[in-house]
Amino acid sequence: MLCPTSPHLALLALLSVADAVGPGEPCPSEMNTFKHRLRVNCSGQGLSVVPLALPTNTSILLLSSNRLASVSTAAFQHLPELAELDLSGNALGVLHTGPPLPLLQELVLSHNALGVLPTLQGLPALTCLVLAHNNISGLLPGAFRDVGQLTELNLRGNQLRTLPEEAFEGLAMLKDLDLSDNALEELPRRLLAGLKLDKLSLSGNQLRTLPSGFFPEGHILAYVYLAGNPWRCDCGLAYLRGWIEDNDFSIYIQEQRPDGLLTENDPHSPVCDEPLRHHGSPVLEFQQACSKAGDTDLDIDGTMTEEGTPVPSATVPSTTLPPTNPVPPTIASSTTLPPTNPVPPTIASSTTLPATTPVPPTIAPST
Ligand SMILES: *[C@@H]1O[C@H](CO)[C@@H](O)[C@H](O)[C@H]1NC(C)=O
Ligand SMILES: *[C@@H]1O[C@H](CO)[C@@H](O)[C@H](O)[C@H]1NC(C)=O
Ligand SMILES: *[C@@H]1O[C@H](CO)[C@@H](O)[C@H](O)[C@H]1NC(C)=O
């Protein structure tokens, strides 16, 4: 019951017989009556090594808030029934897996110092893996290939900037993927291929767009969190905008309120950051005539009129633009050029712009 998704069950599970500390056992243990499992609580004891003297039928082991800097699954080989292991709030910088824990279902590693996640091995029954609030800056392709039973994977609050397309490959059972509060700037188009998620959290990242076809067709996600990203509202966002419109019932926002965490349907929660004239307005309300393709080809190939007709930008002297015509944001990278320079169409790729480049609402260099 270490996975945070079932708080009510967790409460039930804590109804238990009195704590008992046997001779040579440093940690109180009790029967978890809900699960009929023996739970041993070694939390907050200043431990720097995993204690050896634990009941052999320990099924739930709490080792949170200790001083473990390095842990191997070898340290739990004397606990053949181990099903849930909480190692949160240690100083864990190294995790070694390999020696098998055949029954381990839940592994909580949040609030540690893991910088690199090794390919997990020997955990065939693992369904819930919590890696929140570590220092993980990258995932290897197929990092979770050997834990194919995972239903919940929490990577919230790490340092992820990019992900390989195969990061979650093989996770056919995965329902809940939390990537919020990282530093993700872009995501590969096929990141979710083969997954059948119920819940996806991308909030609190540095995403400016999502690639066309990012969400698998024909699969409905029940909860998607997209707020807190600097969405760039130009034709490159047409796919995401359309997806939000089609799936408005799935777009949620989470807020910490005095009386607890509020989860609420809010399709207006993803808002534009750029260009300036759309700053703060919901992605859902962003209107711009874009071609059907609505993808980056347009960004590269040229500008567009309000009617959506692609116009090769090199042949259009900007002085002929009516002053009220909004300058297509995809051209806006010309702000890095001297103002009198004609806009070279090949510069226009919006995705290579630094997030902080302000996009002035009008450019129209008056040569
Ligand atoms: C665990 O083992 C102890 C004795 O070694 C026994 O009293 C207890 O009932 C066992 N608990 C479970 C859940 O099997
Ligand atoms: C485990 O033990 C710690 C320290 O004694 C205590 O603060 C904590 O509430 C216990 N946890 C559970 C789930 O019983
Ligand atoms: C996190 O990782 C970076 C390198 O990726 C390192 O410089 C930094 O010290 C790490 N921070 C912690 C708290 O371990």
Side-chain angles (χ1 to χ4, degrees):
M1 207 47 63
L2 304 173
C3 276
T5 41
S6 5
H8 305 296
L9 288 180
L11 273 181
L12 268 180
L14 292 181
L15 303 169
S16 62
V17 293
D19 283 6
V21 184
E25 293 170 12
C27 312
S29 60
E30 60 188 5
M31 266 312 278
N32 179 310
T33 50
F34 180 71
K35 288 191 176 180
H36 302 287
R37 284 175 171 175
L38 186 68
R39 192 184 65 185
V40 177
N41 184 358
C42 298
S43 291
Q45 302 210 5
L47 300 171
S48 54
V49 292
V50 177
L52 275 173
L54 297 170
T56 53
N57 54 9
T58 298
S59 179
I60 304 172
L61 178 56
L62 310 182
L63 276 166
S64 58
S65 307
N66 280 294
R67 287 190 230 132
L68 304 166
S70 159
V71 164
S72 165
T73 51
F76 307 99
Q77 295 300 300
H78 60 303
L79 307 176
E81 295 178 29
L82 192 61
E84 302 177 20
L85 177 58
D86 184 353
L87 289 162
S88 61
N90 279 277
L92 219 57
V94 178
L95 172 72
H96 176 70
T97 62
L101 297 173
L103 300 185
L104 192 71
Q105 293 173 345
E106 301 186 0
L107 178 57
V108 178
L109 292 159
S110 43
H111 294 283
N112 277 294
L114 293 171
V116 181
L117 185 70
T119 302
L120 298 166
Q121 287 171 323
L123 305 172
L126 198 66
T127 56
C128 169
L129 177 60
V130 183
L131 289 159
H133 304 290
N134 274 272
N135 196 21
I136 299 169
S137 57
L139 295 177
L140 296 171
F144 307 102
R145 210 174 270 150
D146 293 335
V147 285
Q149 299 301 306
L150 273 191
T151 57
E152 177 177 350
L153 176 56
N154 187 340
L155 284 157
R156 178 180 208 124
N158 278 282
Q159 308 289 333
L160 297 168
R161 288 182 177 279
T162 61
L163 290 171
E165 185 172 292
E166 310 85 354
F168 307 116
E169 193 184 86
L171 294 180
M173 315 287 283
L174 195 64
K175 294 292 168 210
D176 185 347
L177 177 59
D178 192 342
L179 293 167
S180 58
D181 299 334
N182 275 278
L184 293 167
E185 290 171 5
E186 53 188 351
L187 292 174
R189 189 176 78 83
R190 292 183 47 78
L191 185 71
L192 304 183
L195 305 188
K196 293 195 171 61
L197 298 176
D198 287 340
K199 198 166 162 187
L200 173 67
S201 183
L202 295 173
S203 55
N205 278 286
Q206 295 298 320
L207 296 167
R208 274 168 275 157
T209 187
L210 288 178
S212 197
F214 178 77
F215 294 100
E217 293 269 340
H219 174 70
I220 307 265
L221 276 136
Y223 299 90
V224 180
Y225 299 87
L226 297 169
N229 282 285
W231 299 113
R232 184 183 171 89
C233 290
D234 60 18
C235 285
L237 205 67
Y239 166 74
L240 180 64
R241 192 203 162 280
W243 191 86
I244 291 175
E245 194 169 47
D246 293 346
N247 295 270
D248 55 354
F249 51 85
S250 297
I251 313 294
Y252 278 77
I253 189 165
Q254 245 172 10
E255 269 176 53
Q256 195 65 53
R257 295 277 173 90
D259 50 342
L261 196 63
L262 179 78
T263 301
E264 170 170 77
N265 176 233
D266 184 0
H268 293 88
S269 57
V271 298
C272 309
D273 184 54
E274 291 183 339
L276 219 49
R277 66 176 181 282
H278 293 311
H279 181 84
S281 50
V283 168
L284 190 59
E285 283 166 15
F286 159 65
Q287 300 285 348
Q288 181 165 328
C290 296
S291 86
K292 272 268 172 58
D295 59 19
T296 48
D297 288 346
L298 270 173
D299 296 6
I300 292 157
D301 289 341
T303 180
M304 294 192 332
T305 66
E306 279 297 87
E307 291 73 42
T309 317
V311 177
S313 59
T315 65
V316 181
S318 46
T319 44
T320 62
L321 288 175
T324 50
N325 206 1
V327 173
T330 53
I331 298 293
S333 57
S334 60
T335 49
T336 58
L337 296 170
T340 49
N341 234 355
V343 179
T346 52
I347 299 280
S349 169
S350 58
T351 51
T352 58
L353 282 176
T356 50
T357 308
V359 179
T362 56
I363 280 179
S366 46
T367 38

